[in-house]
């Protein structure tokens, strides 16, 4: 494992239906470095309550601190989430490399704000299927702009 610090984003309060997928993605990301937010994949955390003793303020402050410590952001953005959008906006402002993963669904489109940030370099928003994620991680996380 390298010294890479990875901030993984996924829906928390907006819906936890993808928590099993998040667990799979976190496990794969751990091959590349330390995932600073493994709690996103914690099945015991529901969309109805705070997983942090400091409440909402504690969640915010912890997550912003983790964003600052991270080298790269990986976000599963299929389930729309205000929190993930906020994290991504903060990460863009911090000039962090970002990989957003979206599973296309009939009758739904990824937010134009997420899709539109893709610069085909260090800010990516990719459609994917779970079986493609190994190759996507290998390609993105081996880029020279990903520094540990």
């Amino acid at each position: 494992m390298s010294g890479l610090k990875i901030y993984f984003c996924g829906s928390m309060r907006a819906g936890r239906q993808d928590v099993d997928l998040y667990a799979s993605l976190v496990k794969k990301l751990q091959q590349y470095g330390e995932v600073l937010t493994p709690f996103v994949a914690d099945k015991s955390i529901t969309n109805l309550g705070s997983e942090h003793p400091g409440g909402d303020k504690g969640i915010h402050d912890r997550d912003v601190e983790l964003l600052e410590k991270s080298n790269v952001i990986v976000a599963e953005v299929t389930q729309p989430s205000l929190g993930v959008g906020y994290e991504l906006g903060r990460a863009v402002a911090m000039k962090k490399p970002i990989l957003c993963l979206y599973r296309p669904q009939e009758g739904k489109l990824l937010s134009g704000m997420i899709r539109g940030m893709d610069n085909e370099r260090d800010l990516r928003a990719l459609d994917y299927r779970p079986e493609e994620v190994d190759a996507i991680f290998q390609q993105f996380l081996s880029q020279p702009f990903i520094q540990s």
Side-chain angles (χ1 to χ4, degrees):
M1 183 163 76
S2 75
L4 196 61
K5 295 189 183 316
I6 303 164
Y7 188 102
F8 177 75
C9 308
S11 174
M12 300 293 284
R13 293 185 180 172
R16 298 292 285 155
Q17 60 267 42
D18 286 337
V19 70
D20 291 329
L21 175 62
Y22 298 163
S24 170
L25 296 174
V26 165
K27 184 175 181 181
K28 290 174 186 293
L29 286 168
Q30 288 170 333
Q31 298 172 40
Y32 295 92
E34 178 187 1
V35 177
L36 300 176
T37 55
F39 51 83
V40 175
D42 184 345
K43 282 186 173 186
S44 71
I45 298 173
T46 71
N47 61 326
L48 299 177
S50 171
E51 78 281 7
H52 192 279
D56 292 347
K57 175 98 171 99
I59 291 169
H60 174 272
D61 294 350
R62 174 203 60 200
D63 289 1
V64 170
E65 182 179 329
L66 292 173
L67 275 170
E68 290 170 345
K69 289 180 180 178
S70 69
N71 305 109
V72 62
I73 314 309
V74 176
E76 210 303 338
V77 296
T78 305
Q79 174 62 40
S81 165
L82 294 171
V84 171
Y86 178 83
E87 291 168 325
L88 293 173
R90 292 290 297 253
V92 168
M94 294 175 192
K95 300 189 182 327
K96 304 282 184 176
I98 300 171
L99 172 63
C100 293
L101 300 171
Y102 178 75
R103 296 184 325 277
Q105 304 169 56
E106 191 170 328
K108 294 186 178 183
L109 293 174
L110 178 60
S111 164
M113 291 301 290
I114 304 301
R115 179 83 66 201
M117 76 165 191
D118 192 319
N119 65 7
E120 298 185 8
R121 187 175 178 274
D122 61 334
L123 301 174
R124 301 302 322 263
L126 303 177
D127 290 350
Y128 84 110
R129 294 187 315 268
E131 61 269 19
E132 299 169 329
V133 81
D134 290 318
I136 292 169
F137 286 167
Q138 175 62 36
Q139 194 279 329
F140 186 77
L141 295 171
S142 66
Q143 295 295 316
F145 52 78
I146 306 291
Q147 306 276 328
S148 58

